[in-house]
Short mmCIF file of all heavy atoms in Angstrom, two decimals:
data_model
loop_
_atom_site.label_atom_id
_atom_site.label_comp_id
_atom_site.label_asym_id
_atom_site.label_seq_id
_atom_site.Cartn_x
_atom_site.Cartn_y
_atom_site.Cartn_z
N VAL A 15 206.65 159.07 57.64
CA VAL A 15 207.89 158.82 56.90
C VAL A 15 207.92 157.35 56.50
O VAL A 15 207.73 156.46 57.34
CB VAL A 15 209.13 159.16 57.74
CG1 VAL A 15 210.40 158.91 56.93
CG2 VAL A 15 209.08 160.60 58.21
N ILE A 16 208.15 157.08 55.23
CA ILE A 16 208.10 155.73 54.69
C ILE A 16 209.38 155.45 53.91
O ILE A 16 209.83 156.30 53.14
CB ILE A 16 206.88 155.57 53.75
CG1 ILE A 16 205.58 155.74 54.55
CG2 ILE A 16 206.89 154.23 53.04
CD1 ILE A 16 204.41 156.14 53.74
N ARG A 17 209.96 154.28 54.14
CA ARG A 17 211.11 153.88 53.31
C ARG A 17 210.58 153.16 52.08
O ARG A 17 210.07 152.04 52.16
CB ARG A 17 212.07 152.99 54.09
CG ARG A 17 213.35 152.70 53.29
CD ARG A 17 214.30 151.78 54.01
NE ARG A 17 215.49 151.53 53.19
CZ ARG A 17 216.38 150.57 53.43
NH1 ARG A 17 216.20 149.76 54.47
NH2 ARG A 17 217.41 150.40 52.64
N GLN A 18 210.73 153.79 50.94
CA GLN A 18 210.22 153.24 49.70
C GLN A 18 211.05 152.04 49.26
O GLN A 18 210.54 151.11 48.65
CB GLN A 18 210.24 154.33 48.61
CG GLN A 18 209.90 153.86 47.21
CD GLN A 18 208.42 153.66 47.01
OE1 GLN A 18 207.64 153.63 47.97
NE2 GLN A 18 208.00 153.53 45.77
N GLY A 19 212.32 152.05 49.60
CA GLY A 19 213.21 150.96 49.20
C GLY A 19 214.59 151.50 48.89
O GLY A 19 214.72 152.60 48.36
N GLY A 20 215.64 150.73 49.23
CA GLY A 20 216.99 151.19 48.95
C GLY A 20 217.30 152.48 49.67
O GLY A 20 217.22 152.58 50.89
N ASP A 21 217.65 153.50 48.88
CA ASP A 21 217.96 154.82 49.47
C ASP A 21 216.87 155.84 49.15
O ASP A 21 217.13 157.03 49.09
CB ASP A 21 219.31 155.31 48.96
CG ASP A 21 219.37 155.39 47.44
OD1 ASP A 21 218.40 154.95 46.79
OD2 ASP A 21 220.37 155.89 46.90
N GLU A 22 215.64 155.37 48.95
CA GLU A 22 214.52 156.24 48.63
C GLU A 22 213.50 156.26 49.77
O GLU A 22 213.17 155.22 50.33
CB GLU A 22 213.83 155.78 47.34
CG GLU A 22 214.73 155.84 46.11
CD GLU A 22 214.05 155.33 44.87
OE1 GLU A 22 212.99 154.66 45.01
OE2 GLU A 22 214.54 155.58 43.76
N PHE A 23 213.02 157.47 50.10
CA PHE A 23 212.08 157.66 51.19
C PHE A 23 210.90 158.51 50.72
O PHE A 23 211.06 159.36 49.84
CB PHE A 23 212.76 158.34 52.38
CG PHE A 23 213.86 157.53 53.00
CD1 PHE A 23 215.13 157.49 52.43
CD2 PHE A 23 213.63 156.79 54.15
CE1 PHE A 23 216.15 156.75 53.00
CE2 PHE A 23 214.65 156.04 54.73
CZ PHE A 23 215.90 156.02 54.15
N ILE A 24 209.74 158.27 51.32
CA ILE A 24 208.54 159.04 51.02
C ILE A 24 208.02 159.66 52.31
O ILE A 24 208.03 159.02 53.37
CB ILE A 24 207.46 158.15 50.38
CG1 ILE A 24 207.87 157.77 48.95
CG2 ILE A 24 206.10 158.85 50.35
CD1 ILE A 24 206.98 156.75 48.31
N ILE A 25 207.58 160.90 52.21
CA ILE A 25 207.00 161.60 53.37
C ILE A 25 205.62 162.10 52.98
O ILE A 25 205.46 162.78 51.96
CB ILE A 25 207.88 162.78 53.81
CG1 ILE A 25 209.29 162.31 54.16
CG2 ILE A 25 207.24 163.50 55.00
CD1 ILE A 25 210.27 163.44 54.39
N LEU A 26 204.62 161.75 53.78
CA LEU A 26 203.27 162.30 53.62
C LEU A 26 203.12 163.43 54.63
O LEU A 26 203.28 163.22 55.83
CB LEU A 26 202.21 161.23 53.85
CG LEU A 26 202.23 160.02 52.91
CD1 LEU A 26 201.16 159.02 53.31
CD2 LEU A 26 202.02 160.45 51.47
N SER A 27 202.82 164.62 54.13
CA SER A 27 202.76 165.80 55.00
C SER A 27 201.48 166.57 54.75
O SER A 27 201.00 166.65 53.61
CB SER A 27 203.97 166.71 54.74
OG SER A 27 203.86 167.92 55.46
N ARG A 28 200.93 167.14 55.83
CA ARG A 28 199.72 167.95 55.70
C ARG A 28 200.02 169.38 55.23
O ARG A 28 199.12 170.17 55.01
CB ARG A 28 198.98 168.00 57.05
CG ARG A 28 198.33 166.68 57.44
CD ARG A 28 197.27 166.24 56.48
NE ARG A 28 196.61 165.00 56.88
CZ ARG A 28 195.75 164.35 56.12
NH1 ARG A 28 195.45 164.82 54.92
NH2 ARG A 28 195.20 163.23 56.54
N ARG A 29 201.30 169.71 55.10
CA ARG A 29 201.67 171.04 54.60
C ARG A 29 201.28 171.14 53.12
O ARG A 29 201.56 170.21 52.34
CB ARG A 29 203.16 171.29 54.76
CG ARG A 29 203.65 171.26 56.21
CD ARG A 29 205.16 171.30 56.26
NE ARG A 29 205.69 171.19 57.61
CZ ARG A 29 206.25 172.20 58.28
NH1 ARG A 29 206.36 173.39 57.71
NH2 ARG A 29 206.71 172.02 59.50
N THR A 30 200.73 172.28 52.73
CA THR A 30 200.30 172.42 51.33
C THR A 30 200.70 173.76 50.70
O THR A 30 200.69 173.88 49.47
CB THR A 30 198.76 172.29 51.22
OG1 THR A 30 198.14 173.23 52.11
CG2 THR A 30 198.32 170.88 51.59
N GLU A 31 201.03 174.75 51.51
CA GLU A 31 201.43 176.04 50.95
C GLU A 31 202.81 175.90 50.29
O GLU A 31 203.74 175.34 50.88
CB GLU A 31 201.49 177.10 52.05
CG GLU A 31 200.15 177.47 52.64
CD GLU A 31 199.23 178.10 51.61
OE1 GLU A 31 199.74 178.79 50.71
OE2 GLU A 31 198.01 177.89 51.71
N THR A 32 202.91 176.40 49.06
CA THR A 32 204.12 176.20 48.27
C THR A 32 205.38 176.63 49.00
O THR A 32 206.36 175.87 49.12
CB THR A 32 204.00 176.93 46.93
OG1 THR A 32 202.89 176.41 46.20
CG2 THR A 32 205.27 176.78 46.11
N GLN A 33 205.38 177.85 49.51
CA GLN A 33 206.57 178.36 50.18
C GLN A 33 206.89 177.54 51.43
O GLN A 33 208.05 177.26 51.73
CB GLN A 33 206.36 179.84 50.56
CG GLN A 33 207.61 180.54 51.08
CD GLN A 33 208.74 180.56 50.05
OE1 GLN A 33 208.49 180.65 48.86
NE2 GLN A 33 209.97 180.48 50.53
N ASP A 34 205.84 177.14 52.13
CA ASP A 34 206.01 176.38 53.36
C ASP A 34 206.64 175.02 53.08
O ASP A 34 207.60 174.61 53.76
CB ASP A 34 204.65 176.20 54.04
CG ASP A 34 204.78 175.47 55.38
OD1 ASP A 34 205.81 175.67 56.06
OD2 ASP A 34 203.85 174.71 55.73
N ILE A 35 206.14 174.30 52.07
CA ILE A 35 206.68 172.97 51.81
C ILE A 35 208.09 173.04 51.23
O ILE A 35 208.92 172.17 51.50
CB ILE A 35 205.75 172.15 50.88
CG1 ILE A 35 205.52 172.86 49.55
CG2 ILE A 35 204.46 171.84 51.56
CD1 ILE A 35 204.65 172.06 48.60
N LEU A 36 208.38 174.10 50.46
CA LEU A 36 209.74 174.26 49.94
C LEU A 36 210.73 174.54 51.07
O LEU A 36 211.84 173.99 51.11
CB LEU A 36 209.79 175.37 48.90
CG LEU A 36 209.13 175.05 47.55
CD1 LEU A 36 209.15 176.27 46.64
CD2 LEU A 36 209.82 173.87 46.86
N GLU A 37 210.33 175.40 52.01
CA GLU A 37 211.19 175.69 53.16
C GLU A 37 211.35 174.44 54.04
O GLU A 37 212.43 174.17 54.57
CB GLU A 37 210.60 176.84 53.97
CG GLU A 37 210.69 178.19 53.27
CD GLU A 37 210.04 179.31 54.06
OE1 GLU A 37 209.45 179.00 55.13
OE2 GLU A 37 210.10 180.48 53.61
N HIS A 38 210.25 173.69 54.18
CA HIS A 38 210.31 172.46 54.95
C HIS A 38 211.27 171.46 54.28
O HIS A 38 212.07 170.80 54.95
CB HIS A 38 208.91 171.85 55.05
CG HIS A 38 208.83 170.68 55.98
ND1 HIS A 38 208.16 169.52 55.67
CD2 HIS A 38 209.35 170.48 57.22
CE1 HIS A 38 208.25 168.68 56.67
NE2 HIS A 38 208.97 169.23 57.63
N GLY A 39 211.19 171.38 52.96
CA GLY A 39 212.09 170.51 52.22
C GLY A 39 213.54 170.92 52.39
O GLY A 39 214.44 170.07 52.57
N GLU A 40 213.80 172.22 52.33
CA GLU A 40 215.16 172.73 52.52
C GLU A 40 215.67 172.39 53.93
O GLU A 40 216.85 172.06 54.12
CB GLU A 40 215.19 174.24 52.30
CG GLU A 40 214.94 174.68 50.87
CD GLU A 40 216.10 174.38 49.95
OE1 GLU A 40 217.16 173.93 50.44
OE2 GLU A 40 215.95 174.58 48.73
N GLU A 41 214.78 172.49 54.91
CA GLU A 41 215.17 172.16 56.29
C GLU A 41 215.54 170.68 56.41
O GLU A 41 216.52 170.32 57.08
CB GLU A 41 214.02 172.47 57.24
CG GLU A 41 214.35 172.19 58.71
CD GLU A 41 213.15 172.37 59.62
OE1 GLU A 41 212.05 172.69 59.12
OE2 GLU A 41 213.31 172.15 60.83
N ILE A 42 214.76 169.83 55.74
CA ILE A 42 215.07 168.39 55.76
C ILE A 42 216.45 168.14 55.15
O ILE A 42 217.29 167.45 55.72
CB ILE A 42 213.98 167.61 55.00
CG1 ILE A 42 212.65 167.66 55.77
CG2 ILE A 42 214.41 166.16 54.78
CD1 ILE A 42 211.49 167.04 55.02
N LEU A 43 216.69 168.72 53.97
CA LEU A 43 217.97 168.51 53.29
C LEU A 43 219.14 169.07 54.10
O LEU A 43 220.22 168.47 54.14
CB LEU A 43 217.95 169.16 51.90
CG LEU A 43 217.00 168.53 50.88
CD1 LEU A 43 217.17 169.20 49.53
CD2 LEU A 43 217.25 167.03 50.75
#
């Protein structure tokens, strides 16, 4: 997890399956 600056963040993840990363994103939100 990286703070890009201000209120922006970047996450590098080894997840690559479309459904998996979308569900992971929804969980984060």
Side-chain angles (χ1 to χ4, degrees):
V15 181
I16 296 157
R17 187 182 179 194
Q18 173 78 346
D21 57 354
E22 297 178 345
F23 296 80
I24 289 172
I25 301 171
L26 299 177
S27 174
R28 289 298 182 187
R29 299 171 183 252
T30 55
E31 293 296 328
T32 299
Q33 188 61 34
D34 183 34
I35 58 178
L36 288 176
E37 290 177 356
H38 188 224
E40 292 287 354
E41 181 186 1
I42 292 173
L43 293 185

